[in-house]
């Protein structure tokens, strides 16, 4: 069997219109469209190595490959996967393996039959941020693993690279597959802005936004008490769930038109409302739950006074306590010092918009 080791990297993404509520849990189909910005250095690296023996394994080791463009203060942590987390990941590896022959045939990529039938895979992953804390680690992890595993059965790098470079539909097919493992991961394959509705995700046309900088005010790195899978179910018990899909559709359209006219103020207001709406669903579910910490409330109070002003930052929260802030890249330095001054007790992570998942290394010696 030919040796092969693939290292793929996928960024996290931050939604301005949230995926919260599934219309079909078995396929991770969303109740409503969502829209996100793809990040850059807040990412997962997945290192997948073919081995002679059958059977796939996730190893609690950090990949030896480390991207060279990460900021120096960035963490590099192998996630501490629970046994159910491992099971979910390995089930997904199996799903990708099963889907590969049809995808390869559709795009004219040559399958390494021997490896596809007989090789096991060793997976090592690392995140540049703490898992489960409201920076979507499942999005970046499932996207990176999907890409690395899918490429692991190619006979040669050249045909894979040609299709990857020339046919964006390959990314979209892998995004659909990745969605089965973690819904929001489908938005991590492209960038900088991705719209997801039903089975498909794509880059919306006509966006006229400046390049964006992104910060996370790291309020807590503790794993969350309520998983996002549980949140997707529980929000439907909230009285505010009624007509949520209708409201969010209208908000998505308003957001898209603000993005097409480069109306950052409108964008900030819509993202703010959407954040509060998602967290209000959490707070009014039966049983109610919250991801907020005292630091989250402090940040929300601070930013609420910005929302009425001429140039507010875009502020949002995922299903976690940490606060995401997006500003025009030209104002990055100004905002970094402002945030450091205002939130002295918390670390500020700095990132920007990105272009999505990619293969970092294609190693036919199999040595990492
Ligand atoms: O992909 P999941 O099932 O982990 O859902 C995450 C959903 C949110 O991050 C809370 C919102 C979003 O659209 O990313």
């Amino acid at each position: 069997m030919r040796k092969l080791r693939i290292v793929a990297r996928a960024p996290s993404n931050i939604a301005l219109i949230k995926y919260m509520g599934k219309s079909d849990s078995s396929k991770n189909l969303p109740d409503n469209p969502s829209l996100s910005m793809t990040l850059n250095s807040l990412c997962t690296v997945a290192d997948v190595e073919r081995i002679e023996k059958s059977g796939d394994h996730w190893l609690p080791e950090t990949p030896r490959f480390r991207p060279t463009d990460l900021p120096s203060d960035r963490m590099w942590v192998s996630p501490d996967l629970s046994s159910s987390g491992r099971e979910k990941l390995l089930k997904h590896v199996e799903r990708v393996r099963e889907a590969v022959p049809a995808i390869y045939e559709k795009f004219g990529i040559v399958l390494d039959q021997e490896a596809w039938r007989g090789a096991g895979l060793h997976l090592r992953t690392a995140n540049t941020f703490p898992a489960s804390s409201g920076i979507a680690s499942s999005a970046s992890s499932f996207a990176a693993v999907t890409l690395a595993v899918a490429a692991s059965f190619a006979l040669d790098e050249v045909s894979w690279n040609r299709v990857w470079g020339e046919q964006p539909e390959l990314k979209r097919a892998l995004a659909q597959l990745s969605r089965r493992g973690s819904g929001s991961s489908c938005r991590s394959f492209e960038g900088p802005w991705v719209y997801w509705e039903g089975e498909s995700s794509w880059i919306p046309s006509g966006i006229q936004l400046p390049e964006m900088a992104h910060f996370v005010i790291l309020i807590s790195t503790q794993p969350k008490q309520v998983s996002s899978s549980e949140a997707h179910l529980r929000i439907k018990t909230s009285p505010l769930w009624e007509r949520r899909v209708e409201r969010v559709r209208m908000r998505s359209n308003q957001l898209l038109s603000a993005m097409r006219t480069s109306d950052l103020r409108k964008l900030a207001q819509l993202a703010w409302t959407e954040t509060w709406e998602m967290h209000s669903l959490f707070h009014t579910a039966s049983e109610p739950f919250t991801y907020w910490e005292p630091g989250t409330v402090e940040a929300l109070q601070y930013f609420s006074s910005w929302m009425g002003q001429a140039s507010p930052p875009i502020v949002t929260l995922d299903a976690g306590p940490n606060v995401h802030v997006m500003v025009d890249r030209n104002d990055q330095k100004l905002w970094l010092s402002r945030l450091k001054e205002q939130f002295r007790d918390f670390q500020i992570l700095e990132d920007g918009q990105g272009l999505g998942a990619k293969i970092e290394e294609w190693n036919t010696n199999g040595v990492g």
Side-chain angles (χ1 to χ4, degrees):
M1 189 202 63
R2 287 184 187 79
K3 291 184 174 170
L4 185 60
R5 190 169 193 145
I6 304 277
V7 181
R9 163 180 174 172
S12 183
N13 65 71
I14 178 70
L16 300 189
I17 297 288
K18 308 292 183 183
Y19 155 51
M20 188 39 64
K22 303 184 190 189
S23 63
D24 181 339
S25 297
S26 67
K27 293 186 182 154
N28 283 342
L29 286 173
D31 276 304
N32 58 262
S34 57
L35 197 151
S36 58
M37 187 176 92
T38 305
L39 301 178
N40 182 30
S41 66
L42 291 168
C43 63
T44 297
V45 166
D47 170 337
V48 173
E49 180 189 4
R50 280 187 198 163
I51 49 163
E52 290 281 352
K53 279 185 266 163
S54 61
D56 304 325
H57 300 276
W58 178 81
L59 307 177
E61 299 167 6
T62 51
R64 266 178 253 163
F65 174 92
R66 187 177 169 153
T68 51
D69 62 337
L70 297 179
S72 55
D73 63 347
R74 200 49 39 92
M75 298 168 205
W76 185 242
V77 280
S78 184
D80 187 14
L81 287 187
S82 61
S83 59
S84 65
R86 279 178 207 208
E87 208 177 297
K88 189 175 169 199
L89 192 71
L90 293 175
K91 193 172 155 206
H92 185 66
V93 170
E94 197 48 46
R95 178 186 290 132
V96 177
R97 188 192 287 260
E98 276 168 22
V100 150
I103 292 179
Y104 277 33
E105 197 181 332
K106 179 170 177 199
F107 292 97
I109 303 166
V110 186
L111 182 71
D112 186 329
Q113 289 281 358
E114 190 193 355
W116 184 73
R117 271 180 223 292
L121 298 176
H122 272 175
L123 277 82
R124 296 170 177 83
T125 59
N127 298 329
T128 59
F129 52 87
S132 303
S133 55
I135 303 169
S137 65
S138 71
S140 54
S141 311
F142 277 87
V145 165
T146 303
L147 175 56
V149 171
S152 291
F153 301 113
L155 191 65
D156 72 295
E157 185 180 359
V158 179
S159 76
W160 174 277
N161 280 344
R162 186 176 37 76
V163 179
W164 181 261
E166 291 171 7
Q167 298 191 49
E169 286 309 317
L170 173 60
K171 283 184 193 172
R172 294 186 182 155
L174 295 179
Q176 282 195 12
L177 191 54
S178 193
R179 190 201 76 232
R180 304 288 301 271
S182 152
S184 55
S185 72
C186 71
R187 297 185 312 232
S188 282
F189 280 78
E190 305 181 78
W193 298 98
V194 180
Y195 192 83
W196 166 30
E197 182 162 19
E199 298 263 354
S200 311
S201 51
W202 64 90
I203 297 185
S205 61
I207 303 295
Q208 298 289 339
L209 292 175
E211 188 178 341
M212 302 299 283
H214 166 260
F215 304 101
V216 184
I217 308 170
L218 206 55
I219 306 286
S220 166
T221 57
Q222 291 306 306
K224 50 192 177 198
Q225 298 296 312
V226 177
S227 68
S228 55
S229 312
E230 173 67 21
H232 283 291
L233 290 173
R234 239 199 266 175
I235 45 118
K236 298 206 176 175
T237 62
S238 160
L240 304 180
W241 174 250
E242 203 185 325
R243 305 187 70 182
R244 155 87 180 147
V245 175
E246 213 174 297
R247 281 194 304 280
V248 84
R249 278 192 181 280
M250 203 192 304
R251 194 171 296 133
S252 299
N253 290 334
Q254 290 170 337
L255 198 101
L256 279 170
S257 59
M259 291 169 95
R260 290 181 174 131
T261 52
S262 200
D263 188 344
L264 284 175
R265 182 166 184 227
K266 185 80 185 154
L267 199 62
Q269 288 166 344
L270 290 164
W272 180 254
T273 309
E274 173 67 0
T275 303
W276 278 86
E277 188 166 305
M278 181 174 78
H279 282 264
S280 302
L281 286 169
F282 302 154
H283 295 167
T284 54
S286 170
E287 296 173 13
F289 57 105
T290 188
Y291 295 103
W292 293 2
E293 298 283 336
T296 317
V297 177
E298 186 193 320
L300 289 170
Q301 275 172 341
Y302 170 74
F303 288 114
S304 65
S305 62
W306 273 94
M307 287 304 144
Q309 298 191 24
S311 312
I314 298 167
V315 180
T316 189
L317 267 63
D318 238 332
N322 299 316
V323 182
H324 295 253
V325 182
M326 281 162 272
V327 297
D328 185 326
R329 175 97 203 268
N330 292 319
D331 300 331
Q332 181 164 0
K333 283 209 177 98
L334 171 74
W335 270 101
L336 180 64
S337 57
R338 207 174 254 162
L339 295 177
K340 281 190 167 159
E341 172 69 24
Q342 184 68 32
F343 300 101
R344 286 166 187 255
D345 294 341
F346 303 113
Q347 194 188 344
I348 310 287
L349 304 178
E350 213 179 343
D351 200 9
Q353 65 183 46
L355 296 175
K358 62 175 181 177
I359 290 184
E360 291 275 9
E361 196 173 282
W362 190 291
N363 189 327
T364 48
N365 296 322
V367 183

